[in-house]
Amino acid sequence: MKTADSLIPYILMSLHPLMHASLLTTGLILLGTNYETFYQIDGTVPDTKDYKEAYDFISGKKYTLMNLAITAHAVCLLSHWLYQILNHYEIKVMANVFLMLKMMFYFVAILRIQSSIDFTKGSSKTDNSQVMAWLTFEVLTFYLNIVSMMAFILI
């Protein structure tokens, strides 16, 4: 793409494919080497209205969110490669569709993860788990990318 192309912010927002590849690989290594301890959460919370989000996380949402993070990186890599291939063969419209798909899918996945791990009641039980640390790292990586984009635009 040319540096003056209007899709540059979308490319930057959806992270570089190297970042997706490293997060995908690292996540798969974590799951493959110590699956049981990765999802282990010491203690529990009551199944009441006040602790609903933490209870859902402990009782199974942690698996769904981790699978979402892994799938998001895989879809983003695939979409980026399809964008590169189609762009190379001058099929610009379809290439840009895959670029937008990459950006939108990653954005929605991160928002879904963030909204699911953002709870205060019961966080004392979940915050010491590896899965919560990884999901928080995923969200932090996204926002650090946004900050780096702002610095890039400023410079």
Side-chain angles (χ1 to χ4, degrees):
M1 291 191 73
K2 300 174 189 154
T3 55
D5 196 352
S6 62
L7 293 176
I8 291 265
Y10 299 110
I11 295 171
L12 294 173
M13 182 183 166
S14 62
L15 292 175
H16 194 275
L18 185 59
M19 180 66 78
H20 287 295
S22 64
L23 288 172
L24 174 66
T25 304
T26 309
L28 290 174
I29 289 171
L30 279 171
L31 292 176
T33 56
N34 60 348
Y35 186 83
E36 295 299 322
T37 57
F38 182 76
Y39 286 112
Q40 181 180 357
I41 296 177
D42 297 329
T44 186
V45 295
D47 185 14
T48 61
K49 184 179 178 183
D50 290 339
Y51 292 91
K52 177 96 171 104
E53 292 173 315
Y55 182 80
D56 288 346
F57 183 81
I58 291 171
S59 63
K61 201 170 205 177
K62 58 189 175 187
Y63 299 105
T64 305
L65 294 174
M66 192 62 193
N67 288 339
L68 177 62
I70 296 293
T71 304
H73 293 304
V75 167
C76 287
L77 280 172
L78 181 64
S79 295
H80 183 81
W81 291 330
L82 287 171
Y83 160 75
Q84 292 288 338
I85 291 167
L86 293 170
N87 197 37
H88 175 74
Y89 289 110
E90 301 290 327
I91 307 171
K92 301 281 186 186
V93 173
M94 281 307 295
N96 290 334
V97 165
F98 280 106
L99 181 63
M100 295 299 291
L101 175 71
K102 173 187 171 188
M103 185 271 311
M104 289 188 308
F105 190 80
Y106 187 65
F107 185 69
V108 168
I110 287 297
L111 288 181
R112 173 88 168 103
I113 291 169
Q114 181 182 2
S115 68
S116 297
I117 65 172
D118 187 26
F119 49 85
T120 53
K121 296 229 179 195
S123 62
S124 61
K125 299 292 182 194
T126 60
D127 283 351
N128 293 329
S129 66
Q130 291 180 24
V131 66
M132 182 61 93
W134 182 259
L135 293 172
T136 304
F137 180 72
E138 291 274 352
V139 173
L140 180 66
T141 302
F142 175 76
Y143 284 111
L144 287 175
N145 183 58
I146 299 292
V147 169
S148 68
M149 278 193 318
M150 290 176 3
F152 174 76
I153 291 170
L154 184 67
I155 292 172

